[in-house]
Amino acid sequence: MSERLQPGDVAPAFTLPDADGNVVSLSDHKGRKVIVYFYPAALTPGCTKQACDFTDNLELLAGAGYDVIGVSPDKPEKLAKFREQESLKVTLLADPEKTVTEAYGAYGEKKNYGKTYLGVIRSTIVVDEEGKVERALYNVRATGHVAKIIKDLGI
């Protein structure tokens, strides 16, 4: 199981393919704040709600200096379908090997209906302009989470 990040930690660097197969790196966003959120699977109800909430608030977040990146274990083709089907505007990155998900502490034990298994833990990491972790939120709910982040960040 991966170690959870704490405020003040250096955010692990990453380079992953987006929905179109283009590579995106955390370093591409140097000088801007980045909200990196991890979700279990594209085209599922909770993940769709969360991605739509981020898309609906993207202008507000961008205006406050935040870029938004969603990361899941899905392949780029599935992310492209997700983006098209839901008209998503957030950057979606593919992490099928779960290396970045693990580096950010967003992979580990989950419980569902009394069963314990390993999976993606819905998490949101806010990275500052210098590449340091400003906030690390784990086991977040899909519904209402974006509104809570906006409130917590004072936007």
Side-chain angles (χ1 to χ4, degrees), residues 6 12 19-20 25 28 33 49 58 63-64 74 76 84 114 122 124 149:
Q6 301 295 324
D20 299 314
S25 299
D28 298 342
K33 293 184 179 206
K49 173 81 178 108
L58 204 55
D74 299 304
E84 304 315 317
R122 193 180 303 278
T124 301
I149 289 175

Tab-separated table of all heavy atoms in Angstrom, residues 6 12 19-20 25 28 33 49 58 63-64 74 76 84 114 122 124 149:
chain	number	residue	atom	x	y	z
A	6	GLN	N	1.355	14.323	2.588
A	6	GLN	CA	1.017	15.301	3.621
A	6	GLN	C	1.311	16.696	3.084
A	6	GLN	O	2.206	16.853	2.241
A	6	GLN	CB	1.884	15.077	4.881
A	6	GLN	CG	1.759	13.701	5.508
A	6	GLN	CD	0.370	13.433	6.057
A	6	GLN	OE1	-0.280	14.324	6.580
A	6	GLN	NE2	-0.097	12.196	5.905
A	12	PRO	N	4.918	14.131	-6.136
A	12	PRO	CA	5.674	13.285	-7.059
A	12	PRO	C	5.493	13.744	-8.508
A	12	PRO	O	4.383	14.014	-8.949
A	12	PRO	CB	5.054	11.894	-6.849
A	12	PRO	CG	4.449	11.940	-5.470
A	12	PRO	CD	3.982	13.356	-5.308
A	19	ALA	N	-6.270	11.776	-22.839
A	19	ALA	CA	-7.295	11.061	-23.617
A	19	ALA	C	-6.950	10.975	-25.104
A	19	ALA	O	-7.441	10.103	-25.803
A	19	ALA	CB	-8.653	11.739	-23.415
A	20	ASP	N	-6.096	11.872	-25.578
A	20	ASP	CA	-5.704	11.866	-26.986
A	20	ASP	C	-4.339	11.222	-27.212
A	20	ASP	O	-3.811	11.243	-28.317
A	20	ASP	CB	-5.677	13.298	-27.530
A	20	ASP	CG	-7.053	13.949	-27.438
A	20	ASP	OD1	-8.040	13.292	-27.819
A	20	ASP	OD2	-7.131	15.093	-26.961
A	25	SER	N	2.760	16.363	-18.231
A	25	SER	CA	3.590	16.247	-17.025
A	25	SER	C	3.143	17.261	-15.994
A	25	SER	O	2.654	18.341	-16.348
A	25	SER	CB	5.062	16.516	-17.359
A	25	SER	OG	5.526	15.578	-18.304
A	28	ASP	N	4.611	20.631	-16.481
A	28	ASP	CA	4.003	21.525	-17.477
A	28	ASP	C	3.207	22.637	-16.797
A	28	ASP	O	2.903	23.654	-17.410
A	28	ASP	CB	3.024	20.766	-18.400
A	28	ASP	CG	3.697	19.677	-19.220
A	28	ASP	OD1	4.942	19.691	-19.357
A	28	ASP	OD2	2.967	18.801	-19.725
A	33	LYS	N	-1.229	26.547	-9.662
A	33	LYS	CA	-1.682	25.544	-8.702
A	33	LYS	C	-2.421	24.464	-9.494
A	33	LYS	O	-3.044	24.764	-10.504
A	33	LYS	CB	-2.602	26.169	-7.664
A	33	LYS	CG	-1.864	27.138	-6.771
A	33	LYS	CD	-2.760	27.685	-5.690
A	33	LYS	CE	-1.963	28.624	-4.800
A	33	LYS	NZ	-2.531	28.707	-3.479
A	49	LYS	N	-20.169	12.041	-12.087
A	49	LYS	CA	-20.657	13.182	-11.299
A	49	LYS	C	-19.485	14.091	-10.918
A	49	LYS	O	-19.543	15.312	-11.081
A	49	LYS	CB	-21.379	12.648	-10.042
A	49	LYS	CG	-21.786	13.712	-9.044
A	49	LYS	CD	-23.086	14.387	-9.462
A	49	LYS	CE	-23.537	15.421	-8.463
A	49	LYS	NZ	-23.369	16.782	-8.959
A	58	LEU	N	-14.767	24.661	-13.757
A	58	LEU	CA	-13.423	24.847	-14.306
A	58	LEU	C	-13.053	26.322	-14.491
A	58	LEU	O	-11.944	26.718	-14.144
A	58	LEU	CB	-13.288	24.089	-15.625
A	58	LEU	CG	-11.871	23.711	-16.036
A	58	LEU	CD1	-11.171	22.914	-14.952
A	58	LEU	CD2	-11.888	22.911	-17.318
A	63	GLY	N	-9.806	30.707	-13.034
A	63	GLY	CA	-9.726	32.131	-12.701
A	63	GLY	C	-8.997	32.370	-11.388
A	63	GLY	O	-8.375	33.410	-11.189
A	64	ALA	N	-9.044	31.386	-10.498
A	64	ALA	CA	-8.358	31.492	-9.208
A	64	ALA	C	-6.935	30.909	-9.305
A	64	ALA	O	-6.234	30.800	-8.291
A	64	ALA	CB	-9.153	30.769	-8.132
A	74	ASP	N	-7.804	3.963	-16.322
A	74	ASP	CA	-8.354	3.714	-17.652
A	74	ASP	C	-7.339	4.011	-18.750
A	74	ASP	O	-6.451	4.841	-18.580
A	74	ASP	CB	-9.593	4.594	-17.872
A	74	ASP	CG	-10.687	4.303	-16.862
A	74	ASP	OD1	-11.096	3.129	-16.774
A	74	ASP	OD2	-11.108	5.234	-16.163
A	76	PRO	N	-6.249	5.579	-22.522
A	76	PRO	CA	-6.633	6.823	-23.200
A	76	PRO	C	-7.920	6.725	-24.021
A	76	PRO	O	-8.728	7.661	-24.033
A	76	PRO	CB	-5.422	7.130	-24.092
A	76	PRO	CG	-4.267	6.507	-23.363
A	76	PRO	CD	-4.825	5.255	-22.742
A	84	GLU	N	-15.912	12.717	-24.415
A	84	GLU	CA	-16.895	13.031	-25.457
A	84	GLU	C	-18.323	12.850	-24.941
A	84	GLU	O	-19.172	13.710	-25.120
A	84	GLU	CB	-16.688	12.152	-26.697
A	84	GLU	CG	-15.310	12.206	-27.334
A	84	GLU	CD	-14.736	13.602	-27.506
A	84	GLU	OE1	-15.478	14.507	-27.930
A	84	GLU	OE2	-13.543	13.795	-27.217
A	114	GLY	N	-18.798	-5.164	2.753
A	114	GLY	CA	-18.161	-6.130	3.645
A	114	GLY	C	-16.941	-6.819	3.071
A	114	GLY	O	-16.271	-7.576	3.759
A	122	ARG	N	-10.619	7.259	-3.984
A	122	ARG	CA	-10.986	8.578	-4.518
A	122	ARG	C	-10.286	9.639	-3.668
A	122	ARG	O	-10.528	9.760	-2.479
A	122	ARG	CB	-12.503	8.750	-4.477
A	122	ARG	CG	-12.993	9.930	-5.288
A	122	ARG	CD	-14.501	10.063	-5.225
A	122	ARG	NE	-15.214	8.878	-5.663
A	122	ARG	CZ	-15.455	8.565	-6.935
A	122	ARG	NH1	-15.033	9.361	-7.896
A	122	ARG	NH2	-16.126	7.480	-7.244
A	124	THR	N	-8.029	13.675	-3.660
A	124	THR	CA	-7.732	14.946	-4.321
A	124	THR	C	-6.505	15.548	-3.660
A	124	THR	O	-6.462	15.695	-2.433
A	124	THR	CB	-8.919	15.925	-4.199
A	124	THR	OG1	-10.064	15.312	-4.802
A	124	THR	CG2	-8.627	17.244	-4.892
A	149	ILE	N	-14.187	21.685	-1.954
A	149	ILE	CA	-12.831	22.155	-2.277
A	149	ILE	C	-12.838	23.668	-2.526
A	149	ILE	O	-12.015	24.396	-2.012
A	149	ILE	CB	-12.255	21.439	-3.528
A	149	ILE	CG1	-11.932	20.002	-3.211
A	149	ILE	CG2	-11.028	22.150	-4.056
A	149	ILE	CD1	-11.491	19.214	-4.415
